[in-house]
Amino acid sequence: MSDNVIEKGSPEGIEPYDGPAGGWGALKAVAKALREQMNTVSGGKLLLRNNQPHGFDCPGCAWPDPKHTSTFEFCENGAKAVSWEATKKRATPAVFAQHTVSDMLTWTDRDIENLGRLTHPMAYDAASDTYVEIGWDQAFTKIAAHLNALPDPNMAEFYTSGRASNEAAFLYQLFVRAYGTNNFPDCSNMCHEATSVGLPQSIGIGKGTVSLEDFDHADMILSIGHNPGTNHPRMMRTLREASLRGAPIIVLNPLKERALERFADPQAPVEMATFSATPIASAYHQLKVGGDAAALKGIMKAVLALDAADLAAGGPGTLDRAFIAEHTNGFEALKTDLETTDWADIETVCGLPRSVLEDTARKYCAAKSVIVCYGMGVTQHRRGTENVQQIANLLLLRGNFGKPGAGICPLRGHSNVQGDRTVGIDEKAPAALREGIKRVFGFDPPVAKGHDAVESIEAISEGHSKVLIALGGNLAVAMSDPLTTFAAMRKLDLAVHIATKPNRSHLLVGKETLLLPCLGRTELDRQAKGAQSVTVEDSMSMVHASTGRLPPPSREVRSEPAIVAGIAKAVLGTRHGIDWDGMIADYDLIRDKIEGVFPVAFKDYNMRIKEPGGFRLPLAPTERKWLTPSGKAEFRLFPGIYEDPRLTDPKVLTLTTLRSHDQYNTTIYGLDDRYRGIFGRRDVVFLNADDLAAQGLQAGDLVDVEAEPEAGEAPYPGAVLRNQTIVAYNIPRGSAGAYYPEANILIPLSHQDKHSGTPGYKSVPVRISPVTRAA
Ligand SMILES: Nc1nc2c(c(=O)[nH]1)N[C@H]1C(S)=C(S)[C@@H](COP(=O)(O)OP(=O)(O)OC[C@H]3O[C@@H](n4cnc5c(=O)[nH]c(N)nc54)[C@H](O)[C@@H]3O)O[C@H]1N2
Ligand SMILES: Nc1nc2c(c(=O)[nH]1)N[C@H]1C(S)=C(S)[C@@H](COP(=O)(O)OP(=O)(O)OC[C@H]3O[C@@H](n4cnc5c(=O)[nH]c(N)nc54)[C@H](O)[C@@H]3O)O[C@H]1N2
Ligand SMILES: [Mo]
């Protein structure tokens, strides 16, 4: 039973956690969340409707629901997400009148959101430096005046965070394209964009290929760079079942995440009563931060060696030769690339010995069907796209697509981030989408690629873009480089935030700033033709309905589709003759239009969502069909082995930015990170004990963490995370960790994957230096 904290009790708030993930600790945390935000009885009843066939879709994560949900799908962090949204607290106009915006900017992120739900449309009043109430119509008129005064529609940015339903997102993209731009920065650009760009080149589709049932048939599961105990807790039951069935689960992660070591299922009575737990990982390999491509190349190199040895011994080889010949291109180039990559370099970069990678390759070859799951530890790198493609390569070598129990499983972030992209939130405006819009709505949408998230901030910062509309999220805080990003926000002529709760992005006011309060998933959405449901798509391409039941936080709060339609009507007038009012009265009509634009994927949309559990969108690779230009799956190369040349200097550490167990992205529920042994604070940096000794530092010391500039560049002024307390932690040498979003100060906008635009949040070159205190 290993603890991750190396020096116990030092500093304050650092206490090793040696229990399993889940278990009684999780139940206690739920009780606390309900007590702090809600009435405990109504909260408990509400949770029973979470991810049930006729309930609401949990806003927590995008993990799918079991087919016949019959029991309460328990999830600690789902409970926190729901109670945070369904809180009793209210940010009313009277509350805003008590605090100037300048004052609120000095608060923590947690305190800003903890004001509670927004209840009225609000406008920033510069004279009093406060937000004051404004009427809906007045707000829409203001937005129309700004947007219609811009000389070019490409001077406005339309952000989306991935909680928006299919209906809201579809109307939003329709409005924005009718207005005339493809500027669709979205949270996906900071998240799984490396998947959305990398996988279409490899397998012809930018999504995962497995279903929940595939996990019942997998002979091996490889888990790379994701932390399901915190971020996809309902996945733990699936992993637990696979483990109990004896399927090897191999983990590649620099940190020993407790849930991947052992997990106590709060719904398993014996496990709970006996305080026991199920081991999850059969092998846990702590590779260096940023070492994924090297490790994957090593595993593939070993697979090729096993294949050669088997052939030499008269066997059939370990590769799926028939699959490679019939379904793929580029195998020879990959083989040459692997042959010319040295074992010594692989070991240095990933920090794992060759024997570990060879052992993983042996297990991989022994398994008939393999699933690889991965998350932000893979995508948020300067070579995120190529990292993802190495995973696809590994699976292609043994035909691990289009058969039961096999495939690729990117763990998506926000609960509907995948659906938003499906229905058109895409700065690239694919031809099929444009043709569909033309067919159904009769206008030609813009063709030119619009801005992604980083590009939108650059455009605002340079003064090219003047208006930002945000459908949810906390763009300024989620984005890298707050020095540039915060300043950019203040340059806007108009910022509009459609939101459930106040956050820091809302306080970085421009010339005019509006806050428009919207309903959350849990709430009753009543329109002219009665109560409405929305639909969402999970990580496994299942589309299903979500119906909220709670009373809205105030009578002034509107649904996201209604707000988008209100803006659209004010901006476009009768342009293109789109029946905004009709669609808002009855969301079935929105879904009819979605079906019109995407007739194959959404065939009989309104009928099929009536089925409990919904329906699955078509996924060509599951039928071994490849929607690539060549019609085949492609092996794609990762050039070289280093992600970043700065990392060859031993004094430069690679910092990864982490989510605690008590946060949802920029929403900080509390200050504990229970499984990692951190309590009541977030101002820490996780470091390896040998790295500390080499610099004469020890646990509890205060350090500044400073961004290392690129070779030949001047230091980034101000890019320092000051006064962090050192935690001596079980993390590989050369790697370091700190919390997101605090550590975003260390990441310049340019530190990103050039293919997908994803910021390199998980591999930031830094130096640490002791804080010198005045005597
Ligand atoms: N409760 C909760 N649920 C959430 C969220 C939340 O914040 N809170 N966020 C949602 C969103 S938007 C997303 S995208 C997902 C995120 O879910 P995850 O993909 O799990 O994201 P992270 O927690 O950022 O980090 C993932 C893991 O990557 C590991 N890691 C760090 N660097 C590297 C590396 O270089 N290589 C490898 N192999 N591993 C590395 C870390 O140790 C950590 O275990 O979760 C979603 N669900
Ligand atoms: N350093 C670092 N930075 C990162 C990451 C990282 O791992 N490290 N992760 C990145 C990732 S994966 C992501 S996805 C982004 C997240 O970026 P965002 O999606 O922009 O951020 P969130 O924190 O999820 O947004 C929270 C806000 O959403 C609003 N909100 C909540 N629910 C609703 C709703 O139902 N409707 C509406 N309209 N608004 C709602 C609330 O006002 C809340 O304050 O951050 C990225 N930034
Ligand atoms: Mo995400």
Side-chain angles (χ1 to χ4, degrees):
M1 196 183 280
S2 69
D3 294 324
N4 281 317
V5 173
I6 309 291
E7 285 187 41
K8 308 179 195 335
S10 162
E12 203 182 317
I14 312 302
E15 285 303 327
Y17 175 85
D18 55 14
W24 292 103
L27 289 181
K28 237 170 74 185
V30 170
K32 180 163 177 274
L34 294 182
R35 204 169 48 239
E36 281 176 8
Q37 299 294 334
M38 307 174 68
N39 162 321
T40 307
V41 176
S42 65
K45 278 194 192 144
L46 179 65
L47 288 177
L48 291 171
R49 286 207 286 270
N50 207 352
N51 288 346
Q52 298 293 302
H54 301 290
F56 60 88
D57 182 69
C58 179
C61 78
W63 185 255
D65 318 319
K67 224 185 202 154
H68 307 291
T69 311
S70 54
T71 53
F72 169 33
E73 266 271 276
F74 171 85
C75 162
E76 173 189 342
N77 279 352
K80 285 186 203 157
V82 168
S83 58
W84 190 256
E85 175 175 299
T87 179
K88 290 178 297 192
K89 300 180 186 177
R90 298 284 177 268
T92 58
V95 169
F96 275 107
Q98 287 163 22
H99 309 286
T100 63
V101 165
S102 313
D103 179 36
M104 287 170 73
L105 273 168
T106 64
W107 301 2
T108 63
D109 290 320
R110 180 177 195 280
D111 289 343
I112 298 170
E113 265 205 63
N114 206 25
L115 277 183
R117 292 291 298 275
L118 296 166
T119 58
H120 292 74
M122 306 293 288
Y124 178 65
D125 171 52
S128 62
D129 186 28
T130 57
Y131 270 105
V132 296
E133 193 182 340
I134 183 178
W136 279 105
D137 287 341
Q138 217 185 332
F140 293 150
T141 307
K142 230 182 232 303
I143 297 169
H146 274 275
L147 285 178
N148 288 328
L150 289 179
D152 176 355
N154 294 310
M155 293 172 72
E157 306 288 344
F158 298 87
Y159 180 68
T160 314
S161 169
R163 281 203 191 172
S165 62
N166 282 357
E167 290 73 9
F170 178 79
L171 287 190
Y172 189 55
Q173 66 82 37
L174 179 66
F175 151 60
V176 172
R177 292 198 158 97
Y179 169 68
T181 180
N182 285 318
N183 282 348
F184 285 109
D186 76 333
C187 69
S188 192
N189 299 144
M190 300 179 266
C191 180
H192 261 294
E193 201 61 49
T195 298
S196 304
V197 170
L199 286 189
Q201 295 171 352
S202 293
I203 59 167
I205 188 166
K207 302 181 176 187
T209 66
V210 297
S211 67
L212 208 46
E213 292 81 68
D214 281 320
F215 280 85
D216 297 337
H217 304 290
D219 292 322
M220 171 182 153
I221 297 166
L222 183 57
S223 146
I224 315 181
H226 68 111
N227 182 18
T230 291
N231 299 318
H232 303 91
R234 287 179 297 115
M235 183 189 194
M236 290 315 303
R237 263 177 105 186
T238 307
L239 291 178
R240 178 176 176 271
E241 278 160 24
S243 164
L244 289 172
R245 194 161 60 69
I249 300 176
I250 301 180
V251 176
L252 294 177
N253 194 315
L255 266 59
K256 276 234 168 155
E257 305 291 22
R258 181 51 43 87
L260 289 169
E261 295 184 279
R262 54 188 193 282
F263 175 69
D265 186 350
Q267 286 175 97
V270 175
E271 216 160 75
M272 292 295 281
T274 58
F275 293 93
S276 60
T278 306
I280 301 295
S282 55
Y284 205 120
H285 305 307
Q286 288 178 270
L287 82 176
K288 284 188 184 173
V289 168
D292 299 274
L296 286 160
K297 278 188 165 196
I299 297 168
M300 289 191 282
K301 191 176 167 76
V303 169
L304 292 190
L306 288 171
D307 179 64
D310 191 61
L311 288 178
T318 57
L319 301 176
D320 187 340
R321 289 202 152 62
F323 177 86
I324 293 174
E326 188 185 341
H327 291 288
T328 71
N329 277 327
F331 172 69
E332 286 304 322
L334 176 73
K335 188 162 176 253
T336 309
D337 179 55
L338 295 172
E339 280 164 1
T340 52
T341 307
D342 275 352
W343 274 114
D345 287 340
I346 290 174
E347 288 184 319
T348 309
V349 175
C350 75
L352 298 174
R354 174 175 173 173
S355 57
V356 157
L357 302 172
E358 287 175 337
D359 184 56
T360 307
R362 261 192 300 279
K363 289 184 180 130
Y364 175 70
C365 291
K368 282 206 284 299
S369 51
V370 175
I371 294 176
V372 183
C373 310
Y374 69 95
M376 298 299 101
V378 169
T379 60
Q380 293 175 332
H381 291 275
R382 301 246 289 201
R383 294 281 188 79
T385 299
E386 285 116 329
N387 278 350
V388 168
Q389 293 177 335
Q390 300 319 296
I391 295 177
N393 286 350
L394 176 66
L395 289 167
L396 287 171
L397 285 177
R398 286 182 43 82
N400 275 309
F401 284 104
K403 62 184 183 190
I408 194 159
C409 178
L411 275 307
R412 290 281 167 175
H414 273 296
S415 50
N416 196 39
V417 62
Q418 188 161 314
D420 290 350
R421 182 60 58 86
T422 302
V423 301
I425 302 299
D426 189 342
E427 72 278 3
K428 291 182 193 117
L433 166 70
R434 282 187 278 113
E435 286 153 19
I437 291 178
K438 167 93 187 171
R439 200 172 52 243
V440 175
F441 296 99
F443 71 93
D444 280 305
V447 178
K449 180 192 161 294
H451 293 150
D452 67 13
V454 169
E455 288 163 345
S456 72
I457 297 298
E458 286 168 345
I460 298 169
S461 177
E462 287 157 13
H464 300 315
S465 288
K466 298 289 188 190
V467 174
L468 167 71
I469 298 191
L471 182 56
N474 189 1
L475 172 61
V477 179
M479 180 48 74
S480 46
D481 205 342
L483 292 169
T484 308
T485 302
F486 286 20
M489 297 289 288
R490 297 179 192 279
K491 287 190 192 165
L492 286 163
D493 286 348
L494 174 70
V496 181
H497 300 281
I498 301 165
T500 49
K501 287 193 167 185
N503 64 43
R504 193 172 304 279
S505 293
H506 308 164
L507 304 177
L508 301 165
V509 290
K511 287 203 189 87
E512 295 204 70
T513 308
L514 301 174
L515 298 186
L516 305 181
C518 67
L519 295 175
R521 284 275 170 78
T522 49
E523 285 140 12
L524 183 66
D525 181 356
R526 190 172 287 287
Q527 302 295 344
K529 297 264 171 78
Q532 303 295 318
S533 298
V534 293
T535 54
V536 293
E537 174 184 341
D538 66 31
S539 247
M540 295 183 186
S541 300
M542 292 293 302
V543 178
H544 59 91
S546 170
T547 314
R549 300 259 158 82
L550 286 186
S554 98
R555 284 165 57 176
E556 283 293 315
V557 171
R558 295 193 182 176
S559 78
E560 289 181 328
I563 296 171
V564 171
I567 297 174
K569 271 178 22 182
V571 174
L572 301 173
T574 54
R575 237 201 285 175
H576 307 311
I578 299 168
D579 180 13
W580 302 102
D581 288 335
M583 290 193 283
I584 293 311
D586 179 359
Y587 295 177
D588 278 1
L589 301 185
I590 308 179
R591 287 183 285 269
D592 284 343
K593 297 294 182 195
I594 297 178
E595 179 177 343
V597 173
F598 308 99
V600 178
F602 288 98
K603 189 171 177 330
D604 300 328
Y605 197 178
N606 278 310
M607 207 177 75
R608 285 197 291 166
I609 55 162
K610 299 215 161 64
E611 290 289 307
F615 64 95
R616 193 161 198 225
L617 295 173
L619 290 166
T622 62
E623 299 160 42
R624 297 196 162 180
K625 291 194 185 123
W626 318 98
L627 305 175
T628 56
S630 67
K632 295 203 172 189
E634 303 278 346
F635 287 102
R636 308 270 311 180
L637 302 185
F638 183 103
I641 193 155
Y642 286 101
E643 174 169 312
D644 190 320
R646 279 169 289 183
L647 304 177
T648 47
D649 179 340
K651 277 211 143 175
V652 175
L653 304 173
T654 315
L655 178 97
T656 190
T657 59
L658 300 164
R659 290 170 162 73
S660 78
H661 191 62
D662 244 1
Q663 78 182 77
Y664 194 95
N665 299 340
T666 67
T667 295
I668 311 298
Y669 303 127
L671 299 180
D672 295 347
D673 193 2
R674 187 166 86 239
Y675 299 148
R676 299 202 186 104
I678 311 296
F679 296 92
R681 60 191 305 177
R682 295 170 56 85
D683 57 342
V684 295
V685 52
F686 299 94
L687 291 166
N688 174 285
D690 293 336
D691 283 327
L692 292 180
Q695 296 204 38
L697 294 165
Q698 52 189 357
D701 283 357
L702 276 187
V703 285
D704 287 341
V705 184
E706 220 169 316
E708 171 72 3
E710 301 217 35
E713 273 191 25
Y716 307 116
V720 188
L721 185 61
R722 295 198 188 278
N723 294 321
Q724 299 297 295
T725 296
I726 293 179
V727 177
Y729 203 75
N730 179 6
I731 188 171
R733 266 209 91 165
S735 299
Y739 289 119
Y740 146 55
E742 290 86 339
N744 286 17
I745 184 87
L746 299 169
I747 312 174
L749 276 187
S750 60
H751 185 67
Q752 58 168 176
D753 174 13
K754 296 298 174 220
H755 298 294
S756 68
T758 316
Y761 296 119
K762 293 281 192 280
S763 55
V764 190
V766 297
R767 285 176 199 266
I768 48 168
S769 55
V771 173
T772 39
R773 275 173 231 148

